[in-house]
Amino acid sequence: MASVFLYHVVGDLTVGKPELEEFYETETIGSAIRAIRESTECGITVWKRKTHMEMAENNDTRQQRFVGILTSLDVVAFLAKPQCLEDQDKAMKTLVSDVVVPDNALLKIVDPGIRLIDALEMMKQGVRRLLVLKSTVWKGMSKRFSILYNGKWLKNVDNSSCNSLSINVSAPSSAASSASSSSSSTPPFMRNKFCCLSREDIIRFLIGCLGALAPLPLSSISSLGAINHNYSSIDASLPAAEATQKNPGDPSAFAIMESTPDGRHRILGEISVSKLWKCDYIAAAWALANLSAGQFIMGIEDNVSSRWLTDFINNSLDNGVESTRPRKISSMSSGYSPVSPTFGV
């Protein structure tokens, strides 16, 4: 099982990944919505444009151009502001630079020879995207298992560097030197072509290695310690907009809680980047500003959330403002049957 993490490198995950298309901070929110919907990670990386002096840039200057990550939750929270709801056309033309939260540490440029276990540790420490140089050239015995990555992975390995994350991820010990030797043989049209790897990409890769991970896939989630009890939450009876006033941290999600008669709490659903990813952003923004958290997630949990939210808006407008006031939501009265377990608080 350990071999999957020790002998695989991030270069194994770049096969078939499209080249990174930079999304610039000078684009509009309307363009960002389209880009997010077309992405596979519910969010997009935002970049500063290259200056004339940076046309032939290195990893350091490229890292400095990275601004942050814009998610579906960020966009909906912005559109839910009163001034945006009053003038939606103006809001959609707002520059991304006015909305995205700058955080240069969310992305790291790494060499293709970085071990998968080191990449996982970086993401554990808060990195959400890995920018990796693409290459069509593979050497060694296997494209899938990189024990002999570029023919030199274990031959000249520096143990002190491999066992420490204090190394420079842009030039990771012997793996970097071996990868750089292969870059010289990379066709000119493939040089300086990067792809962006996310946590989802690593999960998809590991799913393809389930057999090698045995007996881990057969273990329960609780026995693996994978349940996180320190999550951001909001009561279902509170306005949904209160979720936008808190920092959800990582992951970008809020659990919607309901109190039970015995004094415990039950999770009804969540407000998260994944739930908002493909929804109607304008309708979701209106709902976020006008509905309670319980009412909001009842629509988001629906498979046709866009239609549900639109119908809810129309019904609320027909019935007056009274229906939009926050009220106590019960999963029993709403007909929503939670699948999440009940946790004591």
Side-chain angles (χ1 to χ4, degrees):
M1 180 178 71
S3 62
V4 174
F5 301 98
L6 293 175
Y7 300 148
H8 277 289
V9 292
V10 294
D12 295 332
L13 282 66
T14 64
V15 178
K17 285 289 291 185
E19 178 188 345
L20 171 70
E21 294 184 7
E22 294 184 354
F23 189 88
Y24 298 115
E25 61 179 355
T26 53
E27 298 286 345
T28 64
I29 288 298
S31 298
I33 291 176
R34 291 190 292 270
I36 292 174
R37 284 174 173 167
E38 294 172 357
S39 71
T40 57
E41 286 84 25
C42 312
I44 53 176
T45 55
V46 180
W47 301 80
K48 297 178 181 178
R49 287 187 180 274
K50 292 181 182 178
T51 63
H52 178 71
M53 300 296 294
E54 294 175 336
M55 295 308 294
E57 63 181 355
N58 55 31
N59 285 353
D60 291 335
T61 56
R62 184 177 289 107
Q63 179 75 55
Q64 293 172 5
R65 285 198 304 110
F66 173 70
V67 178
I69 297 177
L70 186 70
T71 68
S72 54
L73 182 58
D74 297 327
V75 174
V76 172
F78 169 74
L79 295 177
K81 295 181 178 180
Q83 63 270 27
C84 295
L85 292 176
E86 292 175 2
D87 192 342
Q88 295 178 355
D89 291 337
K90 181 180 178 180
M92 297 295 280
K93 295 178 182 177
T94 302
L95 297 183
V96 168
S97 58
D98 296 333
V99 180
V100 64
V101 178
D103 191 345
N104 189 262
L106 295 180
L107 177 140
K108 292 295 182 184
I109 302 175
V110 300
D111 189 272
I114 283 285
R115 297 183 304 173
L116 181 57
I117 190 172
D118 294 331
L120 287 171
E121 185 62 28
M122 293 177 200
M123 291 190 164
K124 182 180 177 181
Q125 295 177 3
V127 176
R128 297 192 189 180
R129 298 289 190 275
L130 297 176
L131 196 62
V132 188
L133 183 67
K134 284 181 64 68
S135 174
T136 57
V137 178
W138 290 89
K139 296 181 179 180
M141 297 182 61
S142 172
K143 295 181 181 180
R144 183 175 178 85
F145 295 97
S146 297
I147 296 177
L148 299 176
Y149 184 79
N150 287 324
K152 299 180 180 180
W153 176 240
L154 292 180
K155 185 176 180 179
N156 299 317
V157 67
D158 182 353
N159 293 330
S160 62
S161 297
C162 290
N163 294 330
S164 174
L165 281 177
S166 62
I167 58 176
N168 183 347
V169 296
S170 299
S173 67
S174 62
S177 60
S178 62
S180 61
S181 65
S182 68
S183 63
S184 61
S185 60
T186 302
F189 65 89
M190 282 299 296
R191 293 177 185 170
N192 296 325
K193 302 293 185 181
F194 288 83
C195 65
C196 200
L197 298 178
S198 66
R199 296 172 180 179
E200 288 80 4
D201 290 313
I202 294 182
I203 292 174
R204 295 186 193 103
F205 181 79
L206 293 178
I207 289 176
C209 302
L210 287 181
L213 293 174
L216 196 64
L218 301 178
S219 304
S220 65
I221 295 177
S222 58
S223 66
L224 296 174
I227 298 178
N228 178 20
H229 295 278
N230 298 318
Y231 50 84
S232 300
S233 64
I234 182 175
D235 191 89
S237 62
L238 295 176
E242 288 200 9
T244 64
Q245 300 173 9
K246 301 179 180 180
N247 181 12
D250 186 19
S252 299
F254 296 93
I256 307 304
M257 311 291 292
E258 176 193 45
S259 299
T260 59
D262 60 356
R264 297 164 70 85
H265 290 80
R266 174 167 45 200
I267 299 177
L268 299 180
E270 65 181 42
I271 299 177
S272 65
V273 294
S274 59
K275 295 295 184 182
L276 296 171
W277 179 18
K278 300 287 187 178
C279 75
D280 183 334
Y281 283 55
I282 296 296
W286 183 95
L288 191 66
N290 292 277
L291 305 182
S292 70
Q295 290 172 320
F296 185 85
I297 60 103
M298 285 166 57
I300 294 300
E301 292 290 345
D302 197 318
N303 290 330
V304 286
S305 58
S306 297
R307 184 180 65 190
W308 186 95
L309 288 170
T310 302
D311 292 343
F312 200 107
I313 292 172
N314 294 334
N315 293 336
S316 298
L317 293 177
D318 292 340
N319 298 332
V321 297
E322 179 68 23
S323 60
T324 66
R325 291 180 181 176
R327 60 185 178 86
K328 179 67 176 178
I329 295 295
S330 170
S331 59
M332 298 299 291
S333 61
S334 67
Y336 180 81
S337 178
V339 296
S340 304
T342 301
F343 296 101
V345 177

